[in-house]
């Protein structure tokens, strides 16, 4: 069992100097935060989040510093301040930053990591009947919210990807997935958000199902395919999030929806509805795209498990 870490606590002040803020960091960021500090660049600043890109090196290359009430990405360091306190107001895009030795520095911001949290949703055993019910609840919520197609509208490849995954067609799934890497505008294009939701749900639900090995196998191959050259095909942030998703890392809102669909929250459509609405509120279309990716992954895991069970019965 992996313990979830609570939000960071303020550090006591030291006489004569302003102390660093305490942060809670994703375990996915250990390769960045544990070694000696290295130079980074501020690539985006928002009221609730700051994004830093490392200069060279392996993934993860982008680190997010987020307010305590912001969307918690799987590559985040969470600080004590809420967005209303404007913790990043003095930081400018393009500015210098430093990451390492357990710290993050950007302009006047100085964060020391005091706690760690695991971005991979941990699901207990999942029964196919509970998963089927959760999938129906998620379908109803997305239909009611009018999010059909997400940010890609009627583009055919997301549907083709979902169909190939559910059929266990690896070659077709890889072709469709590679066509939507980097597809769409923004820091996290819609195609990448769909892939992140798909990869996380295939792996998480597949691990939790009794006969879910095929879903995990599919996640392994798809993850390897879409991350192979993601750094040259999409934004730096989206490439990092694809790598996180390939390893099972998800944002807090995605994890909450997965737990509901898997039946680990109360078997109540209202609980699923609340979790889905929180996810849909993320970004302009990111939440809807992530939700459709989660739905495709859960449907595929359910279909692949049913195929596996049927093949054993007829063998």
């Amino acid at each position: 069992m992996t313990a979830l870490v609570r939000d960071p606590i303020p550090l006591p002040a030291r006489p004569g100097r302003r102390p660093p803020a305490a942060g809670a960091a994703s375990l996915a960021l250990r390769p960045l935060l544990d070694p000696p500090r290295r130079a980074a660049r501020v690539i985006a600043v928002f009221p609730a989040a700051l994004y830093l890109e490392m200069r060279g090196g392996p993934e993860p290359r982008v680190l997010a510093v987020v307010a305590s009430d912001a969307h918690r990405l799987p590559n985040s360091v969470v600080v004590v301040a809420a967005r209303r306190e404007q913790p990043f107001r003095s930081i400018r895009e393009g500015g210098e930053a430093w990451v390492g030795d357990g710290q993050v520095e950007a302009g006047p911001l100085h964060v020391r990591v005091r706690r760690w949290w695991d971005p991979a949703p941990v699901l207990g055993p999942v029964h196919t009947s509970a998963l089927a019910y959760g999938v129906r609840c998620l379908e109803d919520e997305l239909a009611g919210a009018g999010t059909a197609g997400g940010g890609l509208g009627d583009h055919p490849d997301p549907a083709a990807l979902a169909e190939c995954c559910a059929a266990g067609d690896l070659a077709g799934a890889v072709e469709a997935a590679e066509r939507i890497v980097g597809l769409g505008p923004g820091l996290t294009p819609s195609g990448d958000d769909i892939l992140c939701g798909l990869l996380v749900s295939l792996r998480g639900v597949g691990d939790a199902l009794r006969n879910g090995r095929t879903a995990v196998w599919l996640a392994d191959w798809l993850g390897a395919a879409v991350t192979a050259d993601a750094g040259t095909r999409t934004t730096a942030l989206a490439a990092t999030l694809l790598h996180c998703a390939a390893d099972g890392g998800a944002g807090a809102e995605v994890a909450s929806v997965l737990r509901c669909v898997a039946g680990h929250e109360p078997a109540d459509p209202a609980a699923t509805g609340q979790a889905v609405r929180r996810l849909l509120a993320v970004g302009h279309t990111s939440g809807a795209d992530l939700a459709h990716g989660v739905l495709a992954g859960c449907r595929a895991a359910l279909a692949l498990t049913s195929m596996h069970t049927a093949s054993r019965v007829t063998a």
Side-chain angles (χ1 to χ4, degrees):
M1 178 181 295
T2 303
L4 295 178
V5 181
R6 297 179 180 176
D7 287 335
I9 57 174
L11 297 175
R14 297 179 183 176
R17 61 178 294 189
R18 183 178 179 179
S26 165
L27 289 171
L29 296 176
R30 276 199 178 276
L32 298 184
L33 291 164
D34 282 348
R37 73 177 200 153
R38 294 189 290 133
R41 179 174 65 93
V42 179
I43 59 172
V45 184
F46 298 96
L50 165 72
Y51 298 99
L52 309 178
E53 182 180 7
M54 305 302 296
R55 295 176 176 175
E59 291 286 355
R61 292 182 57 190
V62 175
L63 177 150
V65 183
V66 303
S68 58
D69 55 350
H71 173 45
R72 186 177 297 194
L73 292 168
N75 61 330
S76 295
V77 175
V78 186
V79 297
V80 175
R83 72 180 72 200
R84 68 176 181 276
E85 299 173 58
Q86 301 180 338
F88 314 120
R89 63 183 178 277
S90 300
I91 301 172
R92 298 292 177 263
E93 186 175 319
E96 293 290 323
W98 296 90
V99 177
D101 291 327
Q103 302 177 67
V104 178
E105 299 175 64
L109 180 72
H110 183 192
V111 180
R112 182 182 295 276
V113 174
R114 295 294 183 181
R115 298 184 181 184
W116 297 90
W117 55 277
D118 191 345
V122 178
L123 303 177
V126 174
H127 298 287
T128 54
S129 58
L131 179 60
Y133 176 76
V135 165
R136 290 195 298 272
C137 289
L138 180 55
E139 290 171 342
D140 291 343
E141 288 297 330
L142 294 181
T147 64
L152 294 185
D154 295 327
H155 195 286
D157 281 331
L161 172 61
E163 291 173 4
C164 289
C165 287
D169 178 2
L170 175 61
V174 167
E175 289 179 5
E178 289 182 334
R179 287 196 297 267
I180 65 173
V181 172
L183 190 62
L187 273 177
T188 58
S190 289
D192 301 322
D193 286 329
I194 292 171
L195 288 168
C196 285
L198 173 70
L199 291 171
V200 167
S201 54
L202 277 174
R203 183 173 301 283
V205 175
D207 274 335
L209 285 167
R210 182 177 180 182
N211 295 311
R213 292 186 297 275
T214 305
V216 177
W217 168 83
L218 185 59
D220 286 339
W221 281 98
L222 280 177
V226 301
T227 58
D229 57 353
T232 62
R233 298 188 57 197
T234 188
T235 66
L237 174 59
T240 289
L241 293 177
L242 282 172
H243 279 271
C244 288
D247 290 335
E253 291 79 5
V254 170
S256 179
V257 169
L258 265 181
R259 285 192 293 269
C260 287
V261 175
H264 295 328
E265 299 293 339
D268 178 6
T272 301
Q274 292 175 359
V276 172
R277 286 190 291 275
R278 287 194 296 270
L279 177 56
L280 294 179
V282 174
H284 183 57
T285 64
S286 286
D289 294 323
L290 286 163
H292 281 285
V294 168
L295 177 59
C298 290
R299 281 173 169 168
L302 188 60
L304 294 171
T305 300
S306 299
M307 290 168 56
H308 181 274
T309 302
S311 66
R312 293 188 62 183
V313 171
T314 58

